[in-house]
Amino acid sequence: MDAAPSPTGAGSDVETAVEIRDLGIRYDLRLTKRTTLKGSLAGMLRHDPGRENHFWAIRHMSLSLAHGESMAIIGPNGAGKSTLLLAIAGILEPAEGTIVTRGKVSTLLTLGAGFENELTGRDNIDLAGAFLGIDQRQMDELTPSIIEFADIGEFIDAPVRTYSTGMRARLGFSIATAITPDILLLDEVLGTGDQTFRARSQARVRELVGKAKAIVLVTHDLSFVTEFCNRAILMEKGRIIHEGEPAATVDFYRQRVAEQKILAEEEAQRFARPPVIAPTS
Amino acid sequence: MTTPAEAIASPRPMTRRRGRIAIVRTGLGEMLGRRELTRYLVGAELKRTHADTAIGQLWWVLDPLLQMAVYYIFITIIFASSQPDYPLFIFVAILPWKWFSATLNEATLSITGKQGLIRQVQFPKIVLPTAAVVAGTVSFVFGLVALGIVYVFYPSRLSLWILTIPIIAAVQFVFTIGVALIFAAANAFFRDIQNVLRHFLRMWFYLSPVLYSLDRIEKIHPSLHTILSLNPMAVLLNSYRSVTYGTSPPDWAGLLVVLGFSFLLMLVGVYIFKRAEPAFARIL
């Protein structure tokens, strides 16, 4: 951690793909999914100073990722893993701190997010390219290899609504990786598909790592982390609590989960055995 | 602890404060620059509408005709309207009104309906309402086929002035984009908007000269006439009606005023939308 680049050293860290400094991502609880005018007016009227109306999904996080690194983010649900990916992708803006990315970021996080059901697989490849801002000519060049890798046969000319979950994921993964991003962000996706596709997608990820592309991957599959990544961070409650070699981080996490499990069991037992009260009759 | 005062005072992220003009310029750039994306989205939208119906795209032609039939029966039989060639009279206003109201509905839902996408992919969100407006325009053009059918029965109403329809439509397009951007952004924050919109549009419909002409109102109620004339849609509908029904030129002066107003509204719409955009991923 002492080797953190100096704020002025823009030239010295050319190799970094992602540079995160003191990142804070905040969700406003007043404006969430089910906000209605009434609710928010009522909220304004009874201003409750004791109640927090925002929530920091990530706070005071600093991190840098070099090209060629493949970093796994592990941790319990709600740790802020996906939020971190969204922030690196530029989908969520930081409330505090900065994120600098160098190179093309692939933002197809959950594969097949942008698919239009009525369009064919082929049209959806073009649509995805348009979303990512890749020009038509380049997309035309990539299309054959995308179709080949997705391996969905004649379905490529059928509307995407007819696809199985696995087929959608395969096409999505194929698009996300075919555009050879400099920084590839993957959110819990490598577990999808059958064994063969899994093996092939693993090979693809290795290839991208080999091409000095940076990868950030959120997963709950711990064996995957040690197999694929050359670095891992463990997040909890919006902070990094462990960082280092994948094997070491995974061990640390396993240990921590085990400890928490014991604590939880003790807690449960305390509740399960209510204080003995003399029977009333 | 953190500094709560700062946090409460700024619910928005601390984006670098850019000038308003720069924000609007970025937004317009995205709107015009991502044509390829807009094109695909429009294509998808057009495939989606009526894709599951037996006669599919034929509905674009049939829909305004049926709507005209309903109003015609309703108005002539119950209110005994004395307007000559009444079917054509209302049809030429129903068509652009349908374009406006259907588009505004689609655009309002364009952000909230794509929340999965917005939380997954980084792209200029302004293309979503833009694509909705463009897709609506395509179905309006198809609706003009229906106008051709109606003309078969009223050939004497046909004049070369109908060639000015694209000009009137262009003004309406700019007006619609402005309104659509504001509604799309607002609905992301308050879903009430989409519910209110239905009633709001219905009221706007009755206050606009679709089923009647403003001249009639002028005779009965001069002050009401002045108020109703301020409605940009009234100016547009009057112009459509002049060129398609009245065999006369459109209200050029009125169109120019509406165009100026619509252009300003569009700039305001782009500004509001761009200011709201960073929050979409966090609140959807």
Side-chain angles (χ1 to χ4, degrees):
Chain A
M1 291 292 111
D2 324 297
S6 62
T8 49
S12 63
D13 51 6
V14 201
E15 291 303 302
T16 52
V18 182
E19 183 74 50
I20 296 173
R21 290 212 186 102
D22 193 34
L23 177 67
I25 301 281
R26 185 178 57 205
Y27 287 104
D28 196 322
L29 298 179
R30 287 177 306 178
L31 292 172
T32 46
K33 211 168 210 155
R34 269 173 287 282
T35 321
T36 62
L37 210 53
K38 185 187 158 212
S40 76
L41 286 178
M44 273 178 224
L45 288 178
R46 70 178 136 71
H47 185 69
D48 191 346
R51 228 175 79 200
E52 289 278 340
N53 48 20
H54 58 266
F55 160 73
W56 290 95
I58 291 175
R59 196 89 199 262
H60 303 308
M61 176 183 274
S62 293
L63 182 71
S64 80
L65 183 72
H67 278 293
E69 271 192 306
S70 164
M71 186 177 79
I73 307 172
I74 55 174
N77 288 330
K81 306 186 295 290
S82 297
T83 300
L84 178 59
L85 278 196
L86 290 170
I88 297 172
I91 293 166
L92 290 177
E93 281 193 7
E96 282 181 358
T98 54
I99 300 178
V100 179
T101 54
R102 288 184 189 83
K104 196 165 57 181
V105 183
S106 166
T107 59
L108 290 178
L109 295 175
T110 300
L111 305 174
F115 285 169
E116 282 281 353
N117 277 331
E118 289 304 326
L119 295 183
T120 63
R122 206 182 287 275
D123 286 342
N124 267 299
I125 294 174
D126 289 339
L127 180 64
F131 267 121
L132 298 170
I134 298 163
D135 68 79
Q136 181 74 56
R137 216 155 13 95
Q138 200 186 340
M139 219 51 213
D140 287 344
E141 279 167 29
L142 291 172
T143 302
S145 65
I146 292 173
I147 294 172
E148 202 213 302
F149 190 82
D151 191 25
I152 52 176
E154 281 165 13
F155 272 95
I156 194 68
D157 290 311
V160 165
R161 83 181 125 81
T162 60
Y163 286 24
S164 69
T165 320
M167 286 160 73
R168 284 179 83 103
R170 256 144 59 197
L171 184 58
F173 181 85
S174 187
I175 296 170
T177 52
I179 59 165
T180 49
D182 299 305
I183 302 161
L184 177 65
L185 309 172
L186 294 171
D187 192 352
E188 198 69 71
V189 287
L190 292 158
T192 52
D194 52 25
Q195 284 301 318
T196 1
F197 187 74
R198 220 181 132 157
R200 292 205 305 145
S201 59
Q202 293 182 356
R204 192 102 193 238
V205 171
R206 274 211 192 92
E207 195 186 313
L208 285 169
V209 177
K211 281 185 192 161
K213 306 291 179 188
I215 294 181
V216 185
L217 154 80
V218 166
T219 184
H220 285 285
D221 185 344
L222 296 181
S223 62
F224 208 89
V225 174
T226 44
E227 219 176 305
F228 271 94
C229 302
N230 45 34
R231 190 172 156 199
I233 62 171
L234 172 60
M235 280 183 73
E236 221 179 78
K237 293 187 181 131
R239 281 156 211 265
I240 298 174
I241 57 167
H242 195 275
E243 183 174 8
E245 288 291 311
T249 310
V250 167
D251 282 345
F252 183 85
Y253 182 45
R254 285 218 171 96
Q255 214 176 330
R256 203 172 163 86
V257 169
E259 278 167 19
Q260 274 163 357
K261 204 173 156 194
I262 292 167
L263 278 177
E265 270 165 11
E266 279 173 7
E267 190 95 328
Q269 288 213 330
R270 244 185 307 137
F271 280 109
R273 259 190 283 119
V276 186
I277 299 162
T280 43
S281 57
Chain B
M1 278 310 262
T2 61
T3 49
E6 170 267 332
I8 290 163
S10 63
R12 309 179 34 74
M14 299 193 308
T15 37
R16 271 167 287 125
R17 268 204 127 28
R18 291 178 297 168
R20 287 187 187 165
I21 295 165
I23 291 177
V24 172
R25 196 180 294 148
T26 314
L28 287 175
E30 288 168 350
M31 229 159 83
L32 302 170
R34 298 297 289 268
R35 273 191 299 267
E36 213 164 279
L37 179 53
T38 311
R39 193 158 51 84
Y40 284 120
L41 287 172
V42 169
E45 176 81 30
L46 293 177
K47 273 191 191 169
R48 196 160 51 82
T49 37
H50 304 314
D52 45 359
T53 56
I55 56 168
Q57 265 68 345
L58 212 59
W59 276 113
W60 282 335
V61 180
L62 216 55
D63 217 43
L65 286 173
L66 288 173
Q67 208 170 344
M68 173 197 72
V70 170
Y71 285 121
Y72 173 66
I73 293 163
F74 182 68
I75 303 281
T76 47
I77 294 174
I78 300 176
F79 293 105
S81 164
S82 56
Q83 189 75 45
D85 297 341
Y86 193 61
L88 178 68
F89 177 84
I90 53 172
F91 188 76
V92 298
I94 286 174
L95 211 54
W97 177 266
K98 234 179 96 60
W99 171 26
F100 176 70
S101 63
T103 300
L104 193 52
N105 263 318
E106 287 294 321
T108 300
L109 301 174
S110 66
I111 300 298
T112 48
K114 286 263 192 287
Q115 37 179 293
L117 189 64
I118 288 169
R119 281 193 60 90
Q120 306 281 358
V121 185
Q122 166 63 6
F123 67 100
K125 264 63 85 180
I126 206 160
V127 298
L128 295 175
T130 307
V133 177
V134 175
T137 309
V138 174
S139 35
F140 170 71
V141 172
F142 272 89
L144 291 176
V145 175
L147 179 64
I149 296 170
V150 178
Y151 264 131
V152 171
F153 301 96
Y154 307 101
S156 63
R157 296 275 177 189
L158 200 55
S159 74
L160 277 179
W161 284 115
I162 63 159
L163 296 179
T164 58
I165 289 178
I167 299 171
I168 310 170
V171 178
Q172 185 178 340
F173 184 87
V174 179
F175 177 65
T176 310
I177 281 261
V179 182
L181 288 175
I182 295 169
F183 273 84
N187 194 52
F189 294 93
F190 302 108
R191 307 297 165 96
D192 311 60
I193 305 275
Q194 67 198 47
N195 298 332
V196 172
L197 183 66
R198 226 156 15 107
H199 304 288
F200 175 67
L201 277 172
R202 186 164 301 152
M203 198 148 103
W204 198 344
F205 172 81
Y206 286 115
L207 292 177
S208 303
V210 180
L211 302 177
Y212 53 89
S213 74
L214 280 186
D215 300 345
R216 272 176 96 91
I217 303 284
E218 193 172 18
K219 284 170 205 147
I220 319 164
H221 219 304
S223 54
L224 183 65
H225 174 263
T226 319
I227 297 168
L228 293 184
S229 310
L230 295 174
N231 173 7
M233 281 311 283
V235 176
L236 290 164
L237 295 174
N238 275 340
S239 291
Y240 282 113
R241 192 167 275 149
S242 295
V243 304
T244 52
Y245 176 85
T247 63
S248 53
D251 174 8
W252 291 119
L255 282 180
L256 203 64
V257 173
V258 173
L259 180 64
F261 168 75
S262 301
F263 199 72
L264 280 178
L265 185 73
M266 184 180 75
L267 297 183
V268 171
V270 170
Y271 177 73
I272 291 176
F273 191 91
K274 286 303 289 178
R275 284 298 301 265
E277 190 181 24
F280 292 159
R282 282 180 298 129
I283 61 173
L284 287 176

